[in-house]
């Protein structure tokens, strides 16, 4: 086993799975200058930045991406726990800026078209959502945030020319 496989095995099975990312990335979106193989971000901020870039690219396609595919493109593994913390940070950043939640572009493969329950719990903690993650309110909230994100980011940030769905200001922000 080479060093890379050993590092991935140790990191992806360790207790701090959300804190450490090492090795090489599988996605071909951002190759490094030496050998054309993309590099994995090595810290939380780099992971968050790279995740935002991936979600922006996906938003421009106007289609959602599953957490597993996103994790595979980010760290070469379907270990979605690696990206959850970064997605939650993106939600905080977007809410603080009054932007649509770009994390709404990522969805759960088990509930096609809907994010995982943690997405709704995080949104509820932020004062943006109230309701059950499995009820109609969740579908409506996600659809609104997904549409707002697509509207803002598809077409190089120019939007589609239509009015964004309204959003209530977050409680306590």
């Amino acid at each position: 086993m080479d060093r890379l496989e050993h590092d991935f095995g140790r990191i992806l099975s360790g207790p701090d799975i959300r804190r450490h990312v090492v090795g090489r990335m599988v996605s071909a979106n951002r190759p490094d200058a030496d050998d054309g193989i993309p590099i994995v971000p090595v810290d939380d901020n780099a992971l968050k930045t790279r995740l935002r870039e991936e979600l922006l690219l996906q938003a421009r396609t106007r289609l959602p991406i599953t957490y597993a595919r996103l994790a595979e493109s980010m760290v070469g593994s379907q270990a979605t726990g690696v990206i959850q913390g970064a997605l939650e940070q993106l939600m905080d950043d977007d809410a603080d800026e009054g932007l649509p939640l770009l994390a709404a572009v990522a969805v759960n493969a088990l509930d096609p078209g809907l994010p995982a329950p943690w997405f709704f719990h995080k949104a509820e903690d932020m004062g943006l959502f109230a309701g059950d993650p499995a009820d109609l309110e969740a579908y409506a909230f996600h659809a609104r945030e997904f549409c707002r994100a697509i509207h803002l980011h598809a077409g190089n940030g120019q939007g589609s020319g239509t009015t964004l769905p309204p959003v209530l200001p977050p409680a306590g922000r």
Side-chain angles (χ1 to χ4, degrees), residues 14-89:
D16 295 327
I17 194 167
R18 290 174 49 191
R19 294 261 183 240
H20 301 289
V21 180
V22 298
R24 295 284 187 166
M25 187 162 51
V26 174
S27 173
N29 291 333
R30 310 269 333 244
D32 68 16
D34 296 331
D35 55 13
I37 299 173
I39 300 173
V40 169
V42 294
D43 63 33
D44 288 344
N45 284 332
L47 177 61
K48 183 174 74 168
T49 299
R50 181 71 181 106
L51 185 59
R52 181 175 291 281
E53 291 171 0
E54 284 287 322
L55 289 173
L56 287 171
L57 288 172
Q58 190 64 36
R60 290 182 184 120
T61 71
R62 299 175 185 264
L63 296 170
I65 185 170
T66 65
Y67 297 123
R69 290 199 71 182
L70 191 57
E72 180 71 29
S73 75
M74 297 297 298
V75 294
S77 167
Q78 291 188 2
T80 59
V82 173
I83 62 169
Q84 181 180 336
L87 285 166
E88 289 177 349
Q89 290 175 8

Side-chain angles (χ1 to χ4, degrees), residues 24 56 82 101 111 125 137 144-145 160:
R24 295 284 187 166
L56 287 171
V82 173
L101 299 179
D111 296 317
D125 291 346
E137 294 90 5
R144 185 188 75 214
E145 288 304 311
S160 63

Side-chain angles (χ1 to χ4, degrees), residues 91 101 117-130 141 145 170:
M91 291 174 72
L101 299 179
W118 64 259
F119 173 88
F120 298 102
H121 295 302
K122 175 69 176 173
E124 187 170 32
D125 291 346
M126 296 165 50
L128 299 174
F129 171 74
F141 173 76
E145 288 304 311

Side-chain angles (χ1 to χ4, degrees), residues 91-158:
M91 291 174 72
D92 283 330
D93 293 348
D94 289 343
D96 288 344
E97 296 292 323
L99 296 172
L101 299 179
L102 186 58
V105 173
V107 295
N108 193 351
L110 299 177
D111 296 317
L114 201 62
W118 64 259
F119 173 88
F120 298 102
H121 295 302
K122 175 69 176 173
E124 187 170 32
D125 291 346
M126 296 165 50
L128 299 174
F129 171 74
D132 185 335
D135 281 346
L136 188 58
E137 294 90 5
Y139 284 92
F141 173 76
H142 175 253
R144 185 188 75 214
E145 288 304 311
F146 180 81
C147 288
R148 293 179 75 235
I150 297 303
H151 173 83
L152 180 64
H153 301 296
N156 298 323
Q158 299 301 312

